[in-house]
Amino acid sequence: MTGVGFFAALLVTLMPLSASAQSASPEAIIRDNINEFMEQLEGREAYYEDNIDELKQKVDESLEEVADFRYIGASVMGIYFRNASPEQRSRFVDVFRKTLIDTYARGLVTFDYEDIRVLDDQRPQREEDRASVAMEVIGTNGDVYPVNYSLRLSDGEWRVVNVIVNGINLGLTFRNQFDQAMRDNNRDYDAVIEGWSPEVGVDEMKEGGDA
């Protein structure tokens, strides 16, 4: 599995949710989306590689349906969210979203993996408005990378708010990077937002963490 491909494989579950699918369980939503999206992408990698902007648009529209970017943006900003202006909050959400779309869209046409599967044995929900779905990404070399999606029920719809990959909590990682950027830029919100470029090392994710 290529480096970008590893990240791209994680995006497969973050694709369009139909109105009927939203009434299903979080596990069923993720499982159905994997199957549906892989059918859409299969055999069209070369086309999207030559038409990357079209793929970006597709990903952008898809994420609108499932990812709660306002919630994610506030979480990533962490303690700095309260003192940010409404305009800065909104701008950061837009920048954060764009960086993910650019990264994952390019990876979707190059990733190489053996299988992506949602585990049959899922933990029961502890709260009515919170859920997690465990799955695995199987590399072509046989390596298994556990992935856990955190979902939040918002306005009657399940939306993804965080992902833990092989023990690496991406939400927490991005929050730490935002905090470091604020320290490096003397808490200049505009400078941090303008220069935002989140990084999660592929080697780090392969080695795993203890989230």
Side-chain angles (χ1 to χ4, degrees):
M1 178 176 295
T2 64
V4 175
F6 184 72
F7 293 114
L10 307 180
L11 188 66
V12 171
T13 59
L14 302 183
M15 301 317 290
L17 301 182
S18 65
S20 59
Q22 279 290 9
S23 63
S25 68
E27 177 187 349
I29 290 171
I30 298 297
R31 191 187 304 276
D32 290 346
N33 283 352
I34 289 176
N35 295 334
E36 179 180 348
F37 182 69
M38 292 315 299
E39 290 178 359
Q40 295 178 19
L41 188 64
E42 185 175 2
R44 304 199 71 195
E45 292 86 353
Y47 171 80
Y48 283 124
E49 189 170 4
D50 293 333
N51 298 273
I52 194 68
D53 288 338
E54 182 178 337
L55 182 58
K56 287 182 182 181
Q57 181 64 29
K58 182 180 180 66
V59 172
D60 189 24
E61 293 172 354
S62 300
L63 289 174
E64 178 67 26
E65 299 294 328
V66 62
D68 191 342
F69 274 107
R70 290 190 178 277
Y71 184 93
I72 296 171
S75 178
V76 170
M77 293 182 80
I79 61 175
Y80 302 101
F81 177 80
R82 179 176 297 181
N83 291 329
S85 69
E87 186 273 337
Q88 289 170 328
R89 295 173 183 175
S90 178
R91 188 150 50 90
F92 177 68
V93 170
D94 290 342
V95 170
F96 182 83
R97 176 173 177 163
K98 183 179 183 301
T99 57
L100 289 184
I101 291 171
D102 288 347
T103 299
Y104 290 131
R106 294 185 183 281
L108 280 169
V109 298
T110 61
F111 68 81
D112 183 20
Y113 63 93
E114 184 68 27
D115 192 18
I116 299 177
R117 61 195 182 201
V118 176
L119 302 185
D120 293 328
D121 186 17
Q122 299 285 333
R123 293 182 179 180
Q125 292 180 223
R126 295 183 178 181
E127 302 177 58
E128 292 184 358
D129 62 345
R130 301 279 178 167
S132 63
V133 176
M135 55 178 288
E136 294 176 336
V137 176
I138 314 301
T140 53
N141 61 358
D143 288 344
V144 178
Y145 303 96
V147 179
N148 189 286
Y149 280 89
S150 298
L151 297 92
R152 172 175 174 262
L153 191 61
S154 177
D155 296 328
E157 297 183 342
W158 287 105
R159 292 185 178 270
V160 173
V161 295
N162 194 20
V163 186
I164 297 176
V165 184
N166 203 21
I168 303 295
N169 187 319
L170 297 187
L172 179 59
T173 298
F174 291 144
R175 185 188 307 168
N176 289 340
Q177 290 180 2
F178 189 92
D179 176 67
Q180 187 60 55
M182 288 292 285
R183 295 172 185 272
D184 292 343
N185 289 274
N186 296 316
R187 290 173 170 73
D188 185 334
Y189 283 85
D190 293 329
V192 171
I193 295 170
E194 181 68 24
W196 177 252
S197 181
E199 296 181 359
V200 180
V202 175
D203 290 339
E204 177 186 3
M205 297 180 77
K206 287 183 176 181
E207 292 176 0
D210 55 4

